[in-house]
Amino acid sequence: MLEMSRRTVLGSAAAAVAFGLASKLEMSVPAFAAPADEPAIGFYRYHVGDIEVTAIYDGIWRKPHDPAFIKNASIEETKAALAKANLPTEFMPIPLTVLVLKVGGRLIAMDAGSGVGQWQANATHLPGNMAAAGIDHKKIDAVMISHFHPDHVWGLMEKGTNELVFPNAELVVQAAEYNWWTEPGRIEKLAQGRRPAGKRIADVFPKWKNWKLVEDGAEVAPGIELISAPGHTPGHSTYLVSSGSHQLLVSADIMYVPALLAPHPEWQGSYDQDGPLAIASRRKMIDRVIADKIAICGSHFPFPGSGSFVKDGNAYAFAPTIQV
Ligand SMILES: [Zn+2]
């Protein structure tokens, strides 16, 4: 099983290079046999020009099928899309990957992960895999946050105490996202199901002193630009990472599960707060990465989360750069 995974990685290294991602075989192997829908390795390292990227596996949400998950598609249609992408159909597979970039001498996390069982009981792997990759969470200099959904920010804080997991990191987020969630009276305006998360954000985040609120287009680190892509949340942000002639768009949740949304970019997830705006942002960003030949990764793409899109009529086709 492990040998097969290694061969898969080796076989796809050429593909990674073709998309401008200089691939390097450096990975961790867990001591246990990984379930079939979880990767056999915990982290994967590649380069975007001079920037070192470590993609770290956090876990997977095996979400029970729910007719409300996609507002304008049936369970049968979502199952058919999964099957077409060779994914399991017994549940909705939502894996989670977090990137850590080494830019100059600085360590920059792209989102914070889901916080050891604070999102899903079996999404617990980030701290162990980060340590296995040789990354000390106390040495993370900055966290670039895409949006305030639990799978992206609960990893900022310890369960129970809400202590900072990255105590020395500046927390960078688009002002529109921070201000929306912490606005007085916000919790009461949230849908019932979102209120516990909204309350935790409102209670804890404003107490921290290490926030840096930025606007669309800000250069948040050398070679890293925040590009607003609202709809999923009001201040949902992507980050364009550039070094030399190489570029990678850290796209967070604009394409969510590409097996569903690449062939059906007009599908509206119940998780998209403003469905039509999310669709417009999705099309705008994916059209741009195709036109400009930019590599792309997404938080919920199959691990290690990078891939490429091509036009397919009025929709898209997705291919992972590598599969492990
Ligand atoms: Zn997410």
Side-chain angles (χ1 to χ4, degrees):
M1 190 63 193
L2 177 60
E3 286 308 307
M4 273 187 68
S5 297
R6 279 198 174 133
R7 276 203 297 275
T8 308
V9 174
L10 286 166
S12 55
V17 172
F19 288 107
L21 306 177
S23 149
K24 191 173 157 196
L25 288 176
E26 196 178 334
M27 59 188 76
S28 71
V29 179
F32 53 88
D37 61 349
E38 296 211 72
I41 60 171
F43 72 91
Y44 185 81
R45 194 161 269 155
Y46 56 94
H47 285 81
V48 177
D50 293 334
I51 296 174
E52 180 188 88
V53 181
T54 306
I56 307 171
Y57 183 68
D58 191 350
I60 185 167
W61 181 16
R62 300 182 181 94
K63 187 183 186 327
H65 286 292
D66 170 4
F69 181 56
I70 301 290
K71 288 177 199 160
N72 48 349
S74 66
I75 288 178
E76 286 65 40
E77 287 171 307
T78 57
K79 277 186 180 175
L82 292 174
K84 224 172 163 186
N86 295 317
L87 289 170
T89 57
E90 311 87 72
F91 51 84
M92 182 57 63
I94 303 177
L96 181 60
T97 299
V98 172
L99 301 190
V100 176
L101 312 182
K102 202 188 262 183
V103 186
R106 297 181 75 212
L107 282 174
I108 298 173
M110 309 304 290
D111 281 332
S114 63
V116 191
Q118 298 181 63
W119 172 56
Q120 301 302 321
N122 58 338
T124 58
H125 303 295
L126 185 65
N129 286 336
M130 190 178 274
I135 297 167
D136 178 352
H137 62 100
K138 292 190 179 134
K139 292 195 174 144
I140 298 279
D141 296 290
V143 184
M144 307 296 173
I145 295 166
S146 64
H147 64 298
F148 279 177
H149 280 171
D151 47 327
H152 301 260
V153 292
W154 277 186
L156 290 171
M157 45 193 167
E158 301 285 358
K159 196 173 185 175
T161 64
N162 295 328
E163 286 294 310
L164 283 163
V165 170
F166 306 104
N168 299 306
E170 186 171 61
L171 307 177
V172 179
V173 68
Q174 192 182 165
E177 184 73 2
Y178 183 94
N179 291 338
W180 191 88
W181 286 96
T182 57
E183 186 180 80
R186 171 61 56 208
I187 300 164
E188 294 72 37
K189 290 186 215 156
L190 291 174
Q192 202 69 39
R194 285 251 179 245
R195 285 187 190 174
K199 184 171 179 349
R200 191 179 188 199
I201 290 167
D203 285 349
V204 177
F205 285 8
K207 292 190 181 130
W208 294 343
K209 304 287 175 229
N210 46 347
W211 289 106
K212 184 178 183 186
L213 307 187
V214 297
E215 302 296 332
D216 182 23
E219 190 182 27
V220 291
I224 306 181
E225 179 192 357
L226 184 150
I227 303 175
S228 183
H232 185 69
T233 61
H236 181 268
S237 303
T238 63
Y239 292 90
L240 183 61
V241 177
S242 305
S243 174
S245 59
H246 299 283
Q247 289 191 308
L248 172 72
L249 183 74
V250 181
S251 73
D253 282 4
I254 58 166
M255 200 34 116
Y256 205 59
V257 175
L260 304 183
L261 299 182
H264 307 283
E266 76 288 357
W267 279 3
Q268 288 182 31
S270 54
Y271 46 82
D272 287 335
Q273 202 170 305
D274 181 333
L277 186 59
I279 291 168
S281 287
R282 179 177 304 140
R283 284 195 176 278
K284 186 176 162 194
M285 297 310 298
I286 299 299
D287 286 346
R288 179 169 171 186
V289 297
I290 292 171
D292 294 349
K293 297 189 171 52
I294 300 170
I296 183 170
C297 63
S299 305
H300 306 293
F301 292 8
F303 184 76
S306 59
S308 62
F309 291 92
V310 291
K311 276 274 196 195
D312 183 10
N314 199 29
Y316 308 97
F318 172 75
T321 310
I322 48 168
Q323 281 178 294
V324 293

